[in-house]
């Protein structure tokens, strides 16, 4: 085997002379088509062009096509056949140099030792053809050393004398050679030189290792011997540094590889014998010594001033070849994509021998390999200890690592990764000589291949480490550096290599990015981790932003470069999409700057656009609810740019889902189900920051989310091609329901809070909300116009009984509690009737009952280390993330008496409780017994229909629960009949009024961030008068006998309105209450607010299936008599029509249709 690269140089130069091909200079290469420039070292370096299958050209000055090789004179007889006559005569006329004699004697003494060792069980493979193997026992020593052994190891012990002497002799020989004075030395040694120098290097390494292993095995002696061995190894490192200045780097690469290879062979052969108990600790010591010797060599070589130039960093043009794979269709299937062949050929054309980054790759590979092996040893030991502890056993001390051994291995791992980050990356990246943009890219390019390859290979090892481990942190710091500064063409090419079908490792790369985001979360401000801060120099604020920016950009780069490969296989496409979106979700869940959030949202939008909504939904699966949480949280950002980007992503998602699937009902239900938790969490985070003091502050902190929902609702299909016009009704429903749910959370907080704002008390009350059946609400005059009932009814109507029973019951019961606090027992009973009907309708769909799950990234400190930064002390209590999430969970699904997976018995028990509460609510007011009887009969009719339907379907599992429900209803009806309490129900017992506000608008009715008003300006509303208001009207009539009963009812009902307006305006004269006259004919004055209240009559009778008659209607009329110019009397009748029949779950409804009838009576 000819190890000298001069043979390749001579053959390629001869080929060029014979073919007559021309060599193009660098300027003539079309750099616009290639990402690499061919010349990066010497201006007069030339490139072979147009030669098919040509060899790599040697680096250096190509004017020296045939530099004379230095011949080893002691072996001249063996070389005569390989050289020409002139060269042989010249060599015979010269005398042997000193270094030649020394190295020959050196090799002879070591070969004598190797031949004297019998029964070699393990052999170390070298790189020399002359001495291919060495016995492993040579490094362990012999009790009675022979003369040959003493002589051989005397060379190593006196290495500081022999190696400098040999080097000076070699330099003296090269002084007459002009080739050694070039920028790249063109001095070549012949093959005999290399076959002798390689054993010299290998025996030196073996001698140093033997010196480190000498002496006793105690800790103090071992440290002394390894220190002595490392001082000896300094000589060989200096020898390498000197040879780099006189020999061609291609031959130096061979010598360096031989040094590290023989040491690696010692470790490999040692590990193959690890199962032997008697040699376990000796083998462990060998491994530690080998790794320390190699790391010491890395330190010395990486610190050379010419390190960068020795790696010949290639130049980059800024362009890269783009690969686009054809999309698979049903008639054209593509299972693979050509990757990187053109790029590899371009690299070969621009590269030389030795290849670019040859030295950095050698050193990086050694460091990463040492670090990974050391960490694996620690992990294996920890797993063995854990396994033994689970089984109640004890690990054999002779086969286990002691604490000191574990600490030493951890120290070696940390030492190796420090060499990577500090000596190889940081030292040269911060070199003041190379700080231009082009130089930064070339420096980073030296490490791209090694870092990416080793980080992905060590994914399993890094995943087992703690997120804040210093070794893992330095691994990821190295990764982020090359992702940020490395040439894009090299990163893209490496990503495509990860996507190859054989050993598909792209998911490992995505997992590495996710682990990086976890580790870098420890750098978020307010998180106490002084160790990591020391590593990066304390620049946490800027660093954390740049790291996540880099990770987001890497995701975009990955999708752009590898999507065509993913798309060839749907299974791989879905798997990669799941990994990518899980990474993006993890990044979006951490608090970042607006710039970082914009980049991450941009990466999410780009990934959604490439993968499509169908793949997104399939990949996320049950985690889609977590995406809903994150998007809603970002839509509440105070930064307009972040909020707008979140809205854009949300619109793209629902638009794409509708286009691909045809419906967004399931996605809308999922998002609206988790919205209360998001709203409550935002409130708790604002409270932890000390920004909330009153309920007005609570309502204001959700303004960005309200504004974002309004922006989604304002999406115009004519301007946005992502939105189909047919989806707009669903989007409007989604946004209106979202606004209503936000109102509902505020209402629940007010129901649980009386007095000052205390989230802890609200949380406790919310957890027991529907069990206590009594909550107090702060109904001040400033809340009298809030559309509380309408918002809760809007939220109730969205959720169906089939799949969202718990949510439907939750808002109905909240509406019940709201009515109870206002003494509106009729509406409370109607809400309970709706609950009972929903339970009956859910019997057939109990298997479809869906409940949201916990979001780990908001609760698990291991997966989201930044959660520990949420902490503030308020008085004697500490508020941290646990308190925040406890408050948020209390609003996700308050207890309504249903387990996570309800059974039929659970639903029946819940129905029994609802029926009992319904009957109790109807008895709270007089004159409601007949209405209660009618409602129970209607429920009985619904249950009977369900029994009949399931009997026909042979669903016997539902018949027993339905019969139990029917029995419960019959019992209640029987109790009403037996007690004779079914009194006559007349329309007069329930009174209704029409309310219209007009004139000057107070601030409350202008656009605001609070709950909207139930009264629209200058629009009529029909409201039911409660029994408490009627009692107040009776008192007013007693005090003013001249007033009619209708006027007294109007005055009593309007009293809270008048107080609220007067408190807001402060001017009592500006508020005018009108209780008579026709609204359109009344005179108005500017600057005044008018409240028009009139009693209206219910019109129509509803018949139920049971035959019971009960006044229930959606039509009301108002009759106004007035004078006329003729003798006839003028009668005006105005009819108002609302959406739902009264009595209803809400006590007021807006008027939909107004009809006026005018007639004259004679």
């Amino acid at each position: 085997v000819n190890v000298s690269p001069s043979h390749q140089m001579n053959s390629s130069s001869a080929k060029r002379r014979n073919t007559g091909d021309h060599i193009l200079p660098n300027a003539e290469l079309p750099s616009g088509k290639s990402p690499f420039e061919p010349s990066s070292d010497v201006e007069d370096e030339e490139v072979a062009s147009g030669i098919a299958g040509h060899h790599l050209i040697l680096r250096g000055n190509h004017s020296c096509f045939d530099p004379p090789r230095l011949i080893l004179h002691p072996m001249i007889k063996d070389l005569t056949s390989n050289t020409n006559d002139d060269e042989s005569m010249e060599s015979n006329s010269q005398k042997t140099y000193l270094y030649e004699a020394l190295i020959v004697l050196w090799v002879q003494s070591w070969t004598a030792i190797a031949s004297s060792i019998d029964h070699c069980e393990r052999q170390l493979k070298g790189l020399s053809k002359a001495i291919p193997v060495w016995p492993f026992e040579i490094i362990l020593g012999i009790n009675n050393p022979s003369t040959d052994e003493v002589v051989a190891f005397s060379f190593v012990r006196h290495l500081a004398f022999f190696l400098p002497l040999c080097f000076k002799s070699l330099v003296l020989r090269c002084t007459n050679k002009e080739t050694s004075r070039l920028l790249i030395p063109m001095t070549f040694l012949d093959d005999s030189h290399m076959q002798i120098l390689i054993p010299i290097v290998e025996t030196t390494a073996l001698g140093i290792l033997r010196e480190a292993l000498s002496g006793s095995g105690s800790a103090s002696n071992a440290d002394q011997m390894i220190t002595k061995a490392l001082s000896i190894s300094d000589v060989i490192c200096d020898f390498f540094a000197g040879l780099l200045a006189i020999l061609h780097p291609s031959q130096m690469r061979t010598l360096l590889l031989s040094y590290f290879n023989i040491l690696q062979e010692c470790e490999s052969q040692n590990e193959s014998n690890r199962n032997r108990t008697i040699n376990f600790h000796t083998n462990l010591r060998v491994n530690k010594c080998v790794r320390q010797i190699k790391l010491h060599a890395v330190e010395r070589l990486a610190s050379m001033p010419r390190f960068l130039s020795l790696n010949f960093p290639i130049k980059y043009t800024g362009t890269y070849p783009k690969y686009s794979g054809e999309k698979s269709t049903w008639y054209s299937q593509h299972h693979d994509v050509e990757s990187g062949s053109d790029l590899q050929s371009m690299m070969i054309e621009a590269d030389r021998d030795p290849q670019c980054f040859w030295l950095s790759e050698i050193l990086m590979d050694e460091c990463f390999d040492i670090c990974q092996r050391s960490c694996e040893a620690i992990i294996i030991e920890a797993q063995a200890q854990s396994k033994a502890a689970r089984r109640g056993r004890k690990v054999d001390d002779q086969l286990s690592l002691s604490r000191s051994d574990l600490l030493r291995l951890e120290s070696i791992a940390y030492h190796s990764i420090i060499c990577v980050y500090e000596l190889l990356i940081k030292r040269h990246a911060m070199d003041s000589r190379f700080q231009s943009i082009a130089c930064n890219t070339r420096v980073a390019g030296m490490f791209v291949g090694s870092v990416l390859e080793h980080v992905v290979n060590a994914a399993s090892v890094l995943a087992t480490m703690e997120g804040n481990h210093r070794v893992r942190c330095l691994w990821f710091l190295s990764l982020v550096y090359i992702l940020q500064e490395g040439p894009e063409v090299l990163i893209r090419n490496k990503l495509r290599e990860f996507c190859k079908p054989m050993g598909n490792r792209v998911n490992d790369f995505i997992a590495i990015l996710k682990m990086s985001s976890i580790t870098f979360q420890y750098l978020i401000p307010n998180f106490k981790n002084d160790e990591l801060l020391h590593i990066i120099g304390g620049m946490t604020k800027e660093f954390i932003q740049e790291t996540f920016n880099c990770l987001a950009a890497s995701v975009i780069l990955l999708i752009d470069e590898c999507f065509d490969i993913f798309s060839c296989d749907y299974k791989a496409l879905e798997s990669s999409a799941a990994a990518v979106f899980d990474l993006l979700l993890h990044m979006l869940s951490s608090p970042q700057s607006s710039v970082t959030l914009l980049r991450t949202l941009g990466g999410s939008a780009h990934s959604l656009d490439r993968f499509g909504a169908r793949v997104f939904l399939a990949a996320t699966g049950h985690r889609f609810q977590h995406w809903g949480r994150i998007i809603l949280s970002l839509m509440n950002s105070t930064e307009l740019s972040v909020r707008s980007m979140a809205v854009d992503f949300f619109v793209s998602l629902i638009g794409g889902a509708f286009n691909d699937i045809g419906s967004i009902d399931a996605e809308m239900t999922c998002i609206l189900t988790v919205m209360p938790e998001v709203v409550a969490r935002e409130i708790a985070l604002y409270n932890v920051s000390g920004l909330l003091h009153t309920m007005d502050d609570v309502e204001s902190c959700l303004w960005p989310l309200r504004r974002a929902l309004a922006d989604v609702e304002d999406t115009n299909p004519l301007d946005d091609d992502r939105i189909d016009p047919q989806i707009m009704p669903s989007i409007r429903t989604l946004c209106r329901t979202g606004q209503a749910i936000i109102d509902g959370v505020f209402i629940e907080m007010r129901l649980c809070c009386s007095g000052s704002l205390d989230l802890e008390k609200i949380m406790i009350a919310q957890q027991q909300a529907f069990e206590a059946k009594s909550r107090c609400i702060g109904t001040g005059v400033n809340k009298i116009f809030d559309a509380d009932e309408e918002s809760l009814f809007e939220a109730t109507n969205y959720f169906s009984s089939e799949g969202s029973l718990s949510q439907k019951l939750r808002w109905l019961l909240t509406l019940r509690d709201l009515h109870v606090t206002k003494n509106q027992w009729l509406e409370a009973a109607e809400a309970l009737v709706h609950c009972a009907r929903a339970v009956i309708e859910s019997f057939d769909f109990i298997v479809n009952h869906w409940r949201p799950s916990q979001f780990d990234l908001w609760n698990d400190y291991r997966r989201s280390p930044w959660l520990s930064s949420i902490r503030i002390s308020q008085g004697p209590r500490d508020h941290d993330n646990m308190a925040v999430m406890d408050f948020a969970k209390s609003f996700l699904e308050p207890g309504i008496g249903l387990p996570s997976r309800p059974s039929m018995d659970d639903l029946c028990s819940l129905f029994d409780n609802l029926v009992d509460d319904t009957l109790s609510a109807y008895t709270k007011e007089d004159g409601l017994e007949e209405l209660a009887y009618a409602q129970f009969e209607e429920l009985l009719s619904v249950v009977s229909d369900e029994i009949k339907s399931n009997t026909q379907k042979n669903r016997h599992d539902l018949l027993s629960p339905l019969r139990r429900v029917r029995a419960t209803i019959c019992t209640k009806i029987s109790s009403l009949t037996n007690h004779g309490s079914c009194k006559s129900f007349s329309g007069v017992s329930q009174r209704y009024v029409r309310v219209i506000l007009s004139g000057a608008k107070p601030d409350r009715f202008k656009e605001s961030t609070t709950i909207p008003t139930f009264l629209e300006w200058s629009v009529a509303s029909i409201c039911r008068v409660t029994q408490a208001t009627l009692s107040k009207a009776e008192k007013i009539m007693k005090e003013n006998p001249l007033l009619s009963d209708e006027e007294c009812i109007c005055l009593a009902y309007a009293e809270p309105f008048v107080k609220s307006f007067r408190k807001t305006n402060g001017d009592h004269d500006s508020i005018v209450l009108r209780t008579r006259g026709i609204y359109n004919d009344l005179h108005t004055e500017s600057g005044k607010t008018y409240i028009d209240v009139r009693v209206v009559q219910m019109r129509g009778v509803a018949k139920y299936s049971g035959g019971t008659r009960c006044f229930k209607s959606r039509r009301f009329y108002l009759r106004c008599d007035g004078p006329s110019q003729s003798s006839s009397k003028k009668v005006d009748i105005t009819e108002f029509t609302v959406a739902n029949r009264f009595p209803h779950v809400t006590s007021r409804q807006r008027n939909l249709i107004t009809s006026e009838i005018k007639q004259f009576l004679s």
Side-chain angles (χ1 to χ4, degrees), residues 640-652:
L640 177 61
S641 57
V642 176
R643 191 165 66 245
S644 300
M645 195 68 187
V647 168
D648 184 78
F649 178 82
F650 186 70
V651 171
S652 299

PDB file of all heavy atoms in Angstrom, residues 640-652:
ATOM      1  N   LEU A 640     -48.679  43.738  19.195  1.00  0.00           N
ATOM      2  CA  LEU A 640     -49.561  43.687  18.035  1.00  0.00           C
ATOM      3  C   LEU A 640     -49.038  42.722  16.979  1.00  0.00           C
ATOM      4  O   LEU A 640     -49.816  41.983  16.352  1.00  0.00           O
ATOM      5  CB  LEU A 640     -49.727  45.090  17.434  1.00  0.00           C
ATOM      6  CG  LEU A 640     -50.566  45.182  16.161  1.00  0.00           C
ATOM      7  CD1 LEU A 640     -51.988  44.696  16.416  1.00  0.00           C
ATOM      8  CD2 LEU A 640     -50.568  46.618  15.634  1.00  0.00           C
ATOM      9  N   SER A 641     -47.727  42.688  16.769  1.00  0.00           N
ATOM     10  CA  SER A 641     -47.167  41.818  15.740  1.00  0.00           C
ATOM     11  C   SER A 641     -47.398  40.350  16.075  1.00  0.00           C
ATOM     12  O   SER A 641     -47.756  39.552  15.206  1.00  0.00           O
ATOM     13  CB  SER A 641     -45.672  42.097  15.594  1.00  0.00           C
ATOM     14  OG  SER A 641     -44.997  41.934  16.839  1.00  0.00           O
ATOM     15  N   VAL A 642     -47.189  39.978  17.342  1.00  0.00           N
ATOM     16  CA  VAL A 642     -47.403  38.594  17.745  1.00  0.00           C
ATOM     17  C   VAL A 642     -48.871  38.229  17.632  1.00  0.00           C
ATOM     18  O   VAL A 642     -49.236  37.145  17.143  1.00  0.00           O
ATOM     19  CB  VAL A 642     -46.897  38.370  19.186  1.00  0.00           C
ATOM     20  CG1 VAL A 642     -47.198  36.960  19.661  1.00  0.00           C
ATOM     21  CG2 VAL A 642     -45.400  38.638  19.267  1.00  0.00           C
ATOM     22  N   ARG A 643     -49.715  39.132  18.069  1.00  0.00           N
ATOM     23  CA  ARG A 643     -51.159  38.865  18.007  1.00  0.00           C
ATOM     24  C   ARG A 643     -51.628  38.709  16.563  1.00  0.00           C
ATOM     25  O   ARG A 643     -52.421  37.817  16.238  1.00  0.00           O
ATOM     26  CB  ARG A 643     -51.914  39.995  18.700  1.00  0.00           C
ATOM     27  CG  ARG A 643     -53.379  39.701  18.936  1.00  0.00           C
ATOM     28  CD  ARG A 643     -53.979  40.677  19.925  1.00  0.00           C
ATOM     29  NE  ARG A 643     -54.018  42.037  19.421  1.00  0.00           N
ATOM     30  CZ  ARG A 643     -53.338  43.051  19.914  1.00  0.00           C
ATOM     31  NH1 ARG A 643     -52.516  42.848  20.931  1.00  0.00           N
ATOM     32  NH2 ARG A 643     -53.435  44.277  19.411  1.00  0.00           N
ATOM     33  N   SER A 644     -51.124  39.549  15.684  1.00  0.00           N
ATOM     34  CA  SER A 644     -51.518  39.471  14.271  1.00  0.00           C
ATOM     35  C   SER A 644     -51.018  38.170  13.646  1.00  0.00           C
ATOM     36  O   SER A 644     -51.740  37.543  12.854  1.00  0.00           O
ATOM     37  CB  SER A 644     -50.955  40.668  13.507  1.00  0.00           C
ATOM     38  OG  SER A 644     -51.436  41.882  14.040  1.00  0.00           O
ATOM     39  N   MET A 645     -49.795  37.746  13.996  1.00  0.00           N
ATOM     40  CA  MET A 645     -49.263  36.508  13.448  1.00  0.00           C
ATOM     41  C   MET A 645     -50.042  35.307  13.969  1.00  0.00           C
ATOM     42  O   MET A 645     -50.280  34.338  13.229  1.00  0.00           O
ATOM     43  CB  MET A 645     -47.786  36.372  13.820  1.00  0.00           C
ATOM     44  CG  MET A 645     -47.051  35.316  13.024  1.00  0.00           C
ATOM     45  SD  MET A 645     -46.892  35.766  11.288  1.00  0.00           S
ATOM     46  CE  MET A 645     -46.187  34.274  10.618  1.00  0.00           C
ATOM     47  N   ALA A 646     -50.453  35.356  15.232  1.00  0.00           N
ATOM     48  CA  ALA A 646     -51.245  34.265  15.779  1.00  0.00           C
ATOM     49  C   ALA A 646     -52.611  34.183  15.097  1.00  0.00           C
ATOM     50  O   ALA A 646     -53.110  33.087  14.813  1.00  0.00           O
ATOM     51  CB  ALA A 646     -51.406  34.446  17.289  1.00  0.00           C
ATOM     52  N   VAL A 647     -53.205  35.331  14.844  1.00  0.00           N
ATOM     53  CA  VAL A 647     -54.483  35.356  14.130  1.00  0.00           C
ATOM     54  C   VAL A 647     -54.314  34.791  12.726  1.00  0.00           C
ATOM     55  O   VAL A 647     -55.149  34.014  12.229  1.00  0.00           O
ATOM     56  CB  VAL A 647     -55.039  36.790  14.093  1.00  0.00           C
ATOM     57  CG1 VAL A 647     -56.209  36.899  13.120  1.00  0.00           C
ATOM     58  CG2 VAL A 647     -55.468  37.235  15.483  1.00  0.00           C
ATOM     59  N   ASP A 648     -53.221  35.162  12.063  1.00  0.00           N
ATOM     60  CA  ASP A 648     -52.964  34.661  10.715  1.00  0.00           C
ATOM     61  C   ASP A 648     -52.805  33.141  10.716  1.00  0.00           C
ATOM     62  O   ASP A 648     -53.337  32.453   9.833  1.00  0.00           O
ATOM     63  CB  ASP A 648     -51.706  35.332  10.169  1.00  0.00           C
ATOM     64  CG  ASP A 648     -51.422  34.931   8.730  1.00  0.00           C
ATOM     65  OD1 ASP A 648     -52.081  35.467   7.826  1.00  0.00           O
ATOM     66  OD2 ASP A 648     -50.543  34.087   8.513  1.00  0.00           O
ATOM     67  N   PHE A 649     -52.077  32.609  11.687  1.00  0.00           N
ATOM     68  CA  PHE A 649     -51.918  31.154  11.773  1.00  0.00           C
ATOM     69  C   PHE A 649     -53.257  30.483  12.055  1.00  0.00           C
ATOM     70  O   PHE A 649     -53.574  29.426  11.472  1.00  0.00           O
ATOM     71  CB  PHE A 649     -50.917  30.811  12.881  1.00  0.00           C
ATOM     72  CG  PHE A 649     -50.713  29.338  13.079  1.00  0.00           C
ATOM     73  CD1 PHE A 649     -49.849  28.636  12.269  1.00  0.00           C
ATOM     74  CD2 PHE A 649     -51.388  28.654  14.076  1.00  0.00           C
ATOM     75  CE1 PHE A 649     -49.657  27.272  12.441  1.00  0.00           C
ATOM     76  CE2 PHE A 649     -51.212  27.293  14.250  1.00  0.00           C
ATOM     77  CZ  PHE A 649     -50.339  26.609  13.439  1.00  0.00           C
ATOM     78  N   PHE A 650     -54.053  31.085  12.909  1.00  0.00           N
ATOM     79  CA  PHE A 650     -55.353  30.514  13.252  1.00  0.00           C
ATOM     80  C   PHE A 650     -56.268  30.483  12.024  1.00  0.00           C
ATOM     81  O   PHE A 650     -56.957  29.490  11.771  1.00  0.00           O
ATOM     82  CB  PHE A 650     -55.991  31.333  14.377  1.00  0.00           C
ATOM     83  CG  PHE A 650     -57.269  30.761  14.904  1.00  0.00           C
ATOM     84  CD1 PHE A 650     -57.265  29.598  15.643  1.00  0.00           C
ATOM     85  CD2 PHE A 650     -58.472  31.378  14.657  1.00  0.00           C
ATOM     86  CE1 PHE A 650     -58.451  29.066  16.130  1.00  0.00           C
ATOM     87  CE2 PHE A 650     -59.655  30.861  15.131  1.00  0.00           C
ATOM     88  CZ  PHE A 650     -59.644  29.704  15.883  1.00  0.00           C
ATOM     89  N   VAL A 651     -56.267  31.561  11.254  1.00  0.00           N
ATOM     90  CA  VAL A 651     -57.089  31.608  10.046  1.00  0.00           C
ATOM     91  C   VAL A 651     -56.607  30.565   9.038  1.00  0.00           C
ATOM     92  O   VAL A 651     -57.415  29.874   8.394  1.00  0.00           O
ATOM     93  CB  VAL A 651     -57.055  33.028   9.445  1.00  0.00           C
ATOM     94  CG1 VAL A 651     -57.718  33.047   8.076  1.00  0.00           C
ATOM     95  CG2 VAL A 651     -57.760  34.013  10.373  1.00  0.00           C
ATOM     96  N   SER A 652     -55.288  30.430   8.890  1.00  0.00           N
ATOM     97  CA  SER A 652     -54.759  29.416   7.973  1.00  0.00           C
ATOM     98  C   SER A 652     -55.169  28.017   8.407  1.00  0.00           C
ATOM     99  O   SER A 652     -55.492  27.162   7.573  1.00  0.00           O
ATOM    100  CB  SER A 652     -53.232  29.514   7.908  1.00  0.00           C
ATOM    101  OG  SER A 652     -52.817  30.773   7.426  1.00  0.00           O
TER     102      SER A 652
END
